[in-house]
């Protein structure tokens, strides 16, 4: 059809009719229900939230690609991630699902909102297309007013996103990068798209060196302690070694 003639839905669904971008387990609802009932964290965890049983059934509407990605995430302790989309010029950060279930748009920050805003800003400010003085809006939303970053749920709510799943089920902090106004750029435009994003990608990866690093060791044996829970005062989301 040509890149300019393809709508936002083109290529979005798999052959089985599953939207992979919304196919991860909804862990948000369980967490928020537990918080509302004062069960967090003594009876319900604020991190490493388990996958609900219904999601693991063989007849659950879960794509094999989604299951494979989840198995990959569980196998390796990733701490930083970005997934790349097209059709807009903006960086979004969790939560992607609005806390008020009936609201299509609602600012829904994570306990680590400052870190996520920083990660999104690092990418957006180094992206040549986003930072350009000639930057124009892609469609209806003027993201330049927000520094080309936005809380996902404040843009449009999404249940079962990979970003929210990564944050709640693993140690990984993940953002979404909308790379280009054109969802399907021509092959001749790819070198320019690479130049637009090259420095952003490098700077983003460098952010793994921010924050506290080290090894939690047993004081007697000096051996490292796996799965030690790290809590930070004022942040209701722990991480594990």
């Amino acid at each position: 059809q040509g890149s300019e003639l393809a709508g936002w839905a083109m290529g979005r669904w798999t052959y089985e009719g599953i939207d992979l971008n919304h196919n991860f387990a909804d862990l948000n609802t369980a967490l928020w229900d537990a918080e509302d009932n004062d069960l967090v964290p003594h009876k319900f965890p604020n991190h490493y939230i388990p996958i609900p049983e219904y999601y693991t059934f063989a007849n659950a509407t879960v794509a094999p690609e989604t299951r494979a990605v989840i198995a990959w995430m569980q196998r390796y302790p990733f701490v930083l991630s970005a997934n790349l989309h097209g059709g807009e010029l903006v960086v979004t950060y969790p939560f992607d699902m609005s806390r008020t279930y009936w609201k299509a748009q609602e600012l829904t920050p994570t306990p680590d909102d400052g870190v996520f805003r920083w990660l999104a800003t690092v990418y957006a400010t180094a992206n040549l297309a986003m930072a350009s003085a000639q930057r124009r809006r892609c469609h209806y939303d003027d993201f330049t007013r927000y520094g080309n970053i936005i809380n996902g749920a404040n843009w449009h709510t999404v249940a079962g996103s990979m970003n929210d799943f990564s944050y709640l089920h693993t140690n990984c902090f993940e953002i979404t990068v909308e790379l280009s106004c054109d969802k399907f750029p021509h092959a001749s435009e790819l070198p320019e798209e690479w130049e637009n994003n090259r420095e952003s990608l490098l700077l983003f990866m460098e952010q793994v060196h921010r924050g506290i690093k080290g090894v939690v060791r047993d004081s007697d044996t000096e051996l490292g302690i796996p799965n030690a829970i790290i809590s930070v005062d004022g942040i209701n989301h722990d991480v594990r070694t």
Side-chain angles (χ1 to χ4, degrees), residues 201-220:
L201 289 165
L202 292 171
L203 283 173
F204 180 74
M205 287 190 287
E206 288 172 3
Q207 301 315 302
V208 294
H209 298 296
R210 282 195 168 266
I212 297 171
K213 294 185 290 185
V215 179
V216 177
R217 300 183 186 277
D218 184 293
S219 61
D220 295 325

Side-chain angles (χ1 to χ4, degrees), residues 215-236:
V215 179
V216 177
R217 300 183 186 277
D218 184 293
S219 61
D220 295 325
T221 66
E222 291 297 314
L223 295 175
I225 301 176
N227 296 313
I229 297 175
I230 309 297
S231 297
V232 179
D233 284 348
I235 298 179
N236 188 25

Side-chain angles (χ1 to χ4, degrees), residues 9 105 109 135 153 182 217:
Q105 293 175 303
R135 160 90 158 93
D182 191 347
R217 300 183 186 277

Side-chain angles (χ1 to χ4, degrees), residues 58-135:
N59 62 350
T61 309
V62 184
E65 295 92 337
T66 311
R67 294 190 190 275
V69 168
I70 291 174
W72 184 52
M73 295 161 71
Q74 292 172 334
R75 193 176 309 123
Y76 297 101
F78 298 117
V79 295
L80 184 66
S81 177
N83 58 75
L84 309 179
H85 294 214
E88 254 299 351
L89 265 177
V90 68
V91 182
T92 77
Y93 55 90
F95 285 117
D96 287 331
M97 181 179 177
S98 61
R99 177 126 191 189
T100 308
Y101 73 91
W102 49 266
K103 284 191 175 181
Q105 293 175 303
E106 181 184 40
L107 179 64
T108 310
T110 68
D112 291 286
D113 189 57
V115 176
F116 276 115
R117 289 176 60 84
W118 169 261
L119 292 172
T121 299
V122 164
Y123 199 102
T125 53
N127 181 280
L128 298 182
M130 294 184 196
S132 170
Q134 284 75 46
R135 160 90 158 93

Side-chain angles (χ1 to χ4, degrees), residues 81-194:
S81 177
N83 58 75
L84 309 179
H85 294 214
E88 254 299 351
L89 265 177
V90 68
V91 182
T92 77
Y93 55 90
F95 285 117
D96 287 331
M97 181 179 177
S98 61
R99 177 126 191 189
T100 308
Y101 73 91
W102 49 266
K103 284 191 175 181
Q105 293 175 303
E106 181 184 40
L107 179 64
T108 310
T110 68
D112 291 286
D113 189 57
V115 176
F116 276 115
R117 289 176 60 84
W118 169 261
L119 292 172
T121 299
V122 164
Y123 199 102
T125 53
N127 181 280
L128 298 182
M130 294 184 196
S132 170
Q134 284 75 46
R135 160 90 158 93
R136 298 177 182 177
R137 66 180 68 180
C138 291
H139 305 292
Y140 306 108
D141 298 301
D142 182 12
F143 292 113
T144 57
R145 295 184 301 158
Y146 314 113
N148 298 305
I149 71 170
I150 193 169
N151 172 255
N154 208 25
W155 183 20
H156 57 260
T157 185
V158 170
S161 79
M162 187 172 175
N163 289 0
D164 288 5
F165 182 85
S166 294
Y167 182 67
L168 295 176
H169 184 65
T170 79
N171 271 346
C172 192
F173 284 34
E174 183 164 346
I175 62 172
T176 292
V177 181
E178 299 281 353
L179 294 170
S180 169
C181 295
D182 191 347
K183 201 174 182 73
F184 296 94
H186 294 283
S188 61
E189 297 172 299
L190 293 180
E192 181 181 2
E193 295 292 348
W194 166 241

